[in-house]
Amino acid sequence: MSARVAILISGSGSNMVALADSMTGDHPARPCLVLSNVPGAAGLARAAERGIPTATVDHRPFRGDRAAFEDALQAELDRATPDIVCLAGFMRVLTPAFVARWQGRMLNIHPSLLPLYPGLDTHARALAAGDAEHGCTVHEVTAVLDHGPILGQARLRVLPQDTAQSLATRVLAQEHRLYPAVLRRFAMGERGRIDIA
Ligand code: GRF
């Protein structure tokens, strides 16, 4: 019986595509829902093209009432009955109460080598710090933003000519390799960390 995976997005969904396209053949999981907080997010069409059920819960009408927004998210997830939830470019901060419902079953990909640079603007911060290495991290989601147990990291050398944009592009390519690799292991019950170059 395949594990059911819900993927939460806010934009282009390139990580969602990488995850969805990896879940074939003998992969122990299959996508069951792509859920966006942004109506018309490009990733929704990419999911629909793949025959994956989609839903939208626009956060704006909730006017900052995070609990009410998350109750609406939960209602969509209850309908899809996922075993695993993957945050993939999902740009809303989740409350500890919501995370507690999914702790141990929710993953996120973050574009830095955590614990370095939690939060935003990670590429510019790595450049400003003069870091020789940069990359991305897949971690379990816990109540503290971008601080859960690390399940995998992908590293790359920062090049002298790199800009925040060129770095973001190269890190994104690494995300598309790392996230599927971690999800496959996670769906098989493996929790050991992997590192890819
Ligand atoms: C990217 O910046 C990625 O680093 C982060 O979310 C953003 C959008 O990713 N994880 P996606 O193309 O929507 O997956």
Side-chain angles (χ1 to χ4, degrees), residues 41-172:
L44 291 169
R46 300 170 86 176
E49 286 164 10
R50 287 163 170 78
I52 303 169
T54 64
T56 299
V57 178
D58 186 349
H59 64 277
R60 291 169 302 183
F62 296 95
R63 300 185 185 290
D65 183 343
R66 289 184 185 276
F69 167 62
E70 291 174 352
D71 286 345
L73 283 183
Q74 187 64 44
E76 291 296 344
L77 292 171
D78 288 343
R79 269 190 280 276
T81 63
D83 303 295
I84 299 167
V85 176
C86 288
L87 307 182
F90 186 68
M91 304 307 279
R92 303 302 295 172
V93 175
L94 296 167
T95 65
F98 184 86
V99 170
R101 296 185 205 169
W102 293 97
Q103 188 135 349
R105 299 182 291 159
M106 182 180 280
L107 306 182
N108 182 47
I109 189 155
H110 181 76
S112 78
L113 294 174
L114 292 174
L116 291 174
Y117 315 126
L120 300 174
D121 301 322
T122 60
H123 312 300
R125 290 157 67 192
L127 282 175
D131 293 349
E133 276 195 327
H134 186 42
C136 51
T137 302
V138 175
H139 64 94
E140 288 191 39
V141 176
T142 60
V144 179
L145 184 70
D146 299 333
H147 275 72
I150 291 176
L151 295 171
Q153 289 193 320
R155 295 169 181 275
L156 51 76
R157 306 289 301 163
V158 177
L159 304 175
Q161 67 272 26
D162 265 321
T163 63
Q165 185 50 58
S166 67
L167 215 37
T169 300
R170 294 200 295 121
V171 168
L172 193 59

Side-chain angles (χ1 to χ4, degrees), residues 11-16 88-89 91 109-111 123 172 175-176:
S12 62
S14 70
N15 274 291
M16 176 277 297
M91 304 307 279
I109 189 155
H110 181 76
H123 312 300
L172 193 59
E175 292 179 33
H176 298 161

